[in-house]
Amino acid sequence: MSELVQYRRDGHVGVISLNNPPVNALNVSRGLVQGVLDAVKEAEHDPAVRALLILGTGKAFSGGADIAEFGRPPVADRANLRDLVAYLDTVSKLVVAAIHGPAMGGGLELALACHYRAAQTGAQLGLPEVKLGLLPGAGGTQRLPRLIGAVNALGMIVTGDPVSTERALELGIVDEILEGDLLKTALACVNRLLREGRAVRRSSSLVATPAPEGAAFFAAERARIARDQRGYPAPLACLDCVQAAVELPFSKGVQRERELFQGLHASSESSALIHVFFSERQAAKVADVPEDTPASPIRSAAVLGAGTMGGGIAMNFANAGIPVRILEQNQEGLDRGLAVVRKNYAATVAKGRLSQAEMDRRLGLMSGILDYKDLADADIVIEAVFEDMAVKKQVFQALDAHCKPGAVLATNTSTLDVDEIAAMTRRPEAVLGLHFFSPANVMRLLEVVRGGASSAQTIATGMKLARTLKKVGVLVGVCDGFVGNRMVHAYFREAAFLLEEGALPQQVDRVLETFGFAMGPFRVGDLAGLDVGWYIRKRQAATRPANQRYSVIADRICERGRYGQKTGAGYYRYEAGNRNPIPDPEIEALIIEASQDAGIARREISDEEILQRCLYQLVNEGAKILEEGIAQRASDIDIVYVFGYGFPRFRGGPMFHADTVGLPEVLAVVERFHAAQGEFWTPAPLLRRLAQEGGRFNPRG
Ligand code: T1G
């Protein structure tokens, strides 16, 4: 028996325990699955055993197949999950799964192949394979519809979202709820079932209840999924499997599931989604700050500035149950800011995603103050004041004077030098950047900016706070724009050059949206507000080299008071109350004039060139960021871009995408643009080195 599985007989019950921390991933190569199969066979042939019990040790029943094994060559003479569930279907004795914590993916499929399922409250039961670009590949698409019907099964499998124990009981996934010690209550359950003479009940023998609309249900769902999940093949394959569960015998349905799984397993989308899954977790690790580094406890917080960012940041603390004060210069600003917060919560309540009581509870955790003295007992203070260095410096001098020793002082700056800000205090070791993304109460990315003086404890506090606020924290270094904004600056700059040379906003946006971005660069600009960038460019004008290429298009648009959606017009025109971008001849004329003024003869630009120039600016800048140590790893850059800038998850992030294309190919294109376009295309040395060595930004897992 593998050390990953324990087997023992307790009375008439053969108890099989999964023991593969942290989540009992159903590993094949190290023999966990084989161990379970061996235990089941031993129990099946032991006359003293009348029933089997399968459960997980630690915090989970099982998090599913071991994703770390994907992409590796299959291991010979080791049973896999399909072998195990197939054998379970032949076992003559009652098999009970006792579930606690996550029973996800193959873990739930293992439970579904048992005859009876009992679960503790607080368990999570789900088939999230679709989120990895896959589908449940161990019979789940055939067993779940037979247990809970096609409609409910399709909902779970296509969304990949887990259900609670109570919901699983309602649906029919779980047969009873266990209260108390898992093993004790599970054994009592099995012995009771034996006394009741409970028969073996194979989910594979049940009939899947079809949708009332019959096949029309699947046709309608297929159209909806194709529309809503463009670029993702897995959801449609999931639908095909559930339809097979309704229309085909079990064995045929399992074959269909296997065919479709293999197609997805080989897809670049799945590789990308698995890369994002692991990278999101890897980003939480800081190479030179061990995971057991003590973090400062955050029991109360304060935010400076009740504007859009300040209010959004404060909501994160209230949402996490942490009391938070908001400091403003005057009551009017405070009232305005708190009114926006209240409106945001009320909108969530109106959508049914938050109860009124919970909204009131969260608002009760927020209070407004006007005096720095009231910051004295805050464990952390985050400033979100005007993006101006002189203002930030004043604020940090005041914070240093009023905040208690040990308080962490954070700046929400998106581009300014955190070290310069920290130097205004007597506690630079307690200063860091916490760069939230607007809207701060929605966007999950949080760039944790380590200053040169930031202590390990301060960094650990920032990374732990990201988890507490349910953000994806990525540690970044100090430079203009850190990781995300530095890269997006290069991306927008190149998009503007494309306009000068012959493209129009609607063509560039269409190309990037076809690639998978939710919005192309010009629609993003109109949404975020063009005046933000305009202000930054004016600040940078003084230091911009005179001979450096610069596009005036965005400035000229702003000079006409066209800041985007908030003014009803930007790169596009907008009808009142409608966010749909309408190409505007006035902007086309402005662009053509800018080309003339720049002495550029406009030309037809191919979609491929547009895509390569926008993407490879990201990749080349990312390579420089990596080489300068501003990001710890390429996958951190991918996470910043997926969670903060809408890079399509099924492409894995800019650096993963470059690896997928192949770095020699990327370098060749960058060098071609360098020859044609000059300065902004100098290949990053790391890109060149890796391309020449046959390397990757993200080493293979
Ligand atoms: N395989 C390998 N490692 C896994 C894993 C898995 N399935 N699930 C989690 N981990 C690692 C994770 O990388 C992290 O590692 C640690 O465990 C803790 O994870 C045939 C084909 C189970 C709800 O998609 O949703 O089954 O960073 O921080 O917040 O049909 O992990 O510590 O080194 O997320 O308590 C389908 C994925 C697989 C579930 C626990 N299963 N996991 O959440 O911990 S495909 C999934 C989760 C499959 C079959 C198919 C969550 C969790 P490290 P964590 P958590």
Side-chain angles (χ1 to χ4, degrees):
M1 194 76 63
S2 153
E3 80 284 355
L4 301 176
V5 178
Q6 275 80 44
Y7 173 70
R8 66 183 177 80
R9 187 162 55 77
D10 185 306
H12 295 300
V13 182
V15 182
I16 301 170
S17 305
L18 311 180
N19 180 29
N20 181 21
V23 298
N24 291 325
L26 300 174
N27 176 280
V28 173
S29 56
R30 287 188 296 122
L32 182 147
V33 176
Q34 182 67 54
V36 176
L37 180 58
D38 295 345
V40 172
K41 288 180 174 173
E42 183 175 335
E44 172 71 348
H45 297 101
D46 179 347
V49 170
R50 295 174 53 212
L52 287 75
L53 170 62
I54 300 178
L55 72 170
T57 58
K59 69 176 186 177
F61 176 76
S62 169
D66 188 341
I67 310 170
E69 290 191 299
F70 290 6
R72 291 185 194 155
V75 176
D77 75 19
R78 279 271 200 275
N80 62 43
L81 198 47
R82 293 190 317 288
D83 303 326
L84 174 56
V85 295
Y87 185 80
L88 277 168
D89 252 0
T90 68
V91 170
S92 61
K93 298 174 182 177
L94 187 67
V95 185
V96 177
I99 294 168
H100 77 296
M104 305 282 267
L108 182 55
E109 290 179 290
L110 171 58
L112 295 176
C114 298
H115 307 131
Y116 195 87
R117 284 157 293 281
Q120 278 187 336
T121 300
Q124 285 172 283
L125 298 95
L127 295 174
E129 288 87 340
V130 71
K131 295 180 179 177
L132 298 176
L134 299 169
L135 54 81
T141 66
Q142 306 304 305
R143 286 191 170 85
L144 193 62
R146 284 173 167 78
L147 277 168
I148 68 173
V151 175
N152 287 326
L154 183 68
M156 278 186 69
I157 294 170
V158 163
T159 62
D161 293 338
V163 296
S164 67
T165 300
E166 291 71 20
R167 179 64 179 143
L169 185 69
E170 266 173 34
L171 288 168
I173 299 171
V174 158
D175 302 290
E176 75 176 72
I177 292 181
L178 298 174
E179 306 282 353
D181 175 79
L182 178 68
L183 180 59
K184 211 154 77 182
T185 52
L187 281 169
C189 164
V190 177
N191 286 309
R192 192 196 76 249
L193 294 172
L194 285 173
R195 284 196 302 277
E196 292 168 355
R198 179 68 64 124
V200 158
R201 181 192 61 170
R202 302 187 205 294
S203 49
S204 56
S205 309
L206 303 176
V207 174
T209 310
E213 312 90 314
F217 165 74
F218 290 113
E221 281 301 290
R222 188 180 304 281
R224 181 184 63 78
I225 292 168
R227 186 188 63 241
D228 298 347
Q229 310 228 22
R230 180 172 49 87
Y232 289 86
L236 286 174
C238 290
L239 184 142
D240 289 340
C241 288
V242 174
Q243 188 161 5
V246 172
E247 298 173 355
L248 299 177
F250 182 78
S251 59
K252 293 282 184 225
V254 165
Q255 274 174 3
R256 183 83 176 111
E257 176 192 273
R258 181 69 191 147
E259 287 158 19
L260 291 167
F261 178 87
Q262 284 177 311
L264 294 175
H265 191 243
S267 69
S268 62
E269 289 84 358
S270 180
S271 307
L273 290 166
I274 289 171
H275 169 70
V276 171
F277 173 84
F278 281 121
S279 303
E280 180 187 344
R281 288 154 179 82
Q282 187 72 3
K285 297 177 174 73
V286 180
D288 61 343
V289 177
E291 286 189 52
D292 60 359
T293 303
S296 312
I298 303 294
R299 298 187 189 87
S300 75
V303 176
L304 264 66
T308 309
M309 283 309 283
I313 293 170
M315 287 175 71
N316 284 296
F317 285 98
N319 296 346
I322 298 171
V324 56
R325 284 176 218 152
I326 304 178
L327 175 77
E328 249 302 346
Q329 288 166 326
N330 54 56
Q331 191 60 45
E332 190 214 347
L334 205 46
D335 294 344
R336 192 171 48 246
L338 288 170
V340 170
V341 167
R342 201 169 289 110
K343 188 162 71 73
N344 286 341
Y345 276 132
T348 310
V349 169
K351 290 176 195 154
R353 292 213 302 266
L354 190 70
S355 69
Q356 186 61 51
E358 182 57 19
M359 168 177 161
D360 297 340
R361 192 184 69 79
R362 293 183 189 186
L363 285 173
L365 288 168
M366 301 172 82
S367 56
I369 54 176
L370 297 171
D371 192 324
Y372 273 84
K373 279 203 300 295
D374 295 328
L375 298 173
D377 60 354
D379 295 320
I380 187 167
V381 181
I382 302 174
E383 65 77 16
V385 299
F386 191 57
E387 189 73 353
D388 176 276
M389 182 56 92
V391 173
K392 302 260 189 209
K393 284 183 173 180
Q394 278 174 348
V395 161
F396 270 77
Q397 278 176 316
L399 290 178
D400 194 27
H402 290 89
C403 293
K404 68 182 180 185
V408 172
L409 309 183
T411 169
N412 175 55
T413 183
S414 56
T415 57
L416 299 175
D417 186 327
V418 174
D419 294 334
E420 211 178 315
I421 293 170
M424 301 312 293
T425 72
R426 291 158 297 171
R427 58 177 106 181
E429 75 286 349
V431 176
L432 81 170
L434 289 178
H435 179 213
F436 289 82
F437 286 73
S438 184
N441 54 308
V442 173
M443 296 296 284
R444 291 195 59 209
L445 179 65
L446 177 62
E447 282 184 321
V448 179
V449 189
R450 76 185 297 173
S454 302
S455 68
Q457 180 168 352
T458 300
I459 292 164
T461 303
M463 298 304 281
K464 185 178 178 198
L465 179 67
R467 288 195 294 280
T468 304
L469 300 182
K470 296 197 175 14
K471 298 288 184 184
V472 179
V474 181
L475 189 73
V476 300
V478 176
C479 72
D480 192 343
F482 313 131
V483 172
N485 279 352
R486 174 169 160 182
M487 288 170 68
V488 85
H489 174 74
Y491 171 76
F492 281 132
R493 182 183 61 208
E494 197 62 27
F497 291 158
L498 285 161
L499 297 186
E500 272 185 341
E501 294 171 37
L504 288 175
Q506 50 272 36
Q507 180 190 8
V508 175
D509 283 348
R510 173 180 52 74
V511 168
L512 274 305
E513 288 161 23
T514 303
F515 175 76
F517 281 88
M519 282 189 176
F522 299 111
R523 287 182 64 197
V524 168
D526 274 0
L527 176 68
L530 302 177
D531 49 331
V532 174
W534 189 28
Y535 175 79
I536 292 174
R537 290 194 302 275
K538 283 192 279 191
R539 175 164 59 83
Q540 292 168 338
T543 55
R544 187 181 307 120
N547 61 349
Q548 190 179 77
R549 184 180 178 187
Y550 178 78
S551 167
V552 298
I553 291 171
D555 297 349
R556 289 186 180 177
I557 291 175
C558 290
E559 283 155 12
R560 298 185 183 190
R562 295 173 66 122
Y563 296 162
Q565 290 189 23
K566 60 178 150 183
T567 58
Y571 283 98
Y572 298 96
R573 204 165 46 76
Y574 300 87
E575 303 291 348
N578 190 324
R579 291 172 175 268
N580 287 333
I582 304 166
D584 188 341
E586 182 185 334
I587 293 300
E588 183 168 344
L590 181 151
I591 290 169
I592 290 168
E593 186 181 357
S595 303
Q596 286 161 357
D597 295 351
I600 295 173
R602 292 179 67 80
R603 64 183 170 89
E604 190 69 31
I605 302 179
S606 71
D607 288 359
E608 185 191 39
E609 180 179 343
I610 289 173
L611 183 65
Q612 287 178 332
R613 284 177 59 175
C614 290
L615 292 185
Y616 293 169
Q617 273 295 332
L618 292 178
V619 173
N620 205 43
E621 200 61 37
K624 293 177 200 166
I625 284 169
L626 205 47
E627 200 151 31
E628 294 166 23
I630 300 293
Q632 292 186 92
R633 42 185 97 83
S635 60
D636 283 6
I637 296 172
D638 288 331
I639 291 303
V640 164
Y641 237 74
V642 163
F643 284 94
Y645 295 82
F647 197 94
R649 286 176 79 109
F650 68 87
R651 305 277 190 183
M655 313 312 276
F656 185 88
H657 175 67
D659 287 333
T660 305
V661 170
L663 297 191
E665 156 73 10
V666 172
L667 176 64
V669 173
V670 169
E671 284 177 330
R672 199 165 73 239
F673 290 144
H674 185 221
Q677 306 279 340
E679 63 193 302
F680 293 121
W681 283 101
T682 307
L686 177 64
L687 170 60
R688 184 185 300 286
R689 177 162 58 75
L690 289 173
Q692 286 164 351
E693 291 169 358
R696 296 163 57 92
F697 288 121
N698 288 292
R700 282 196 189 287

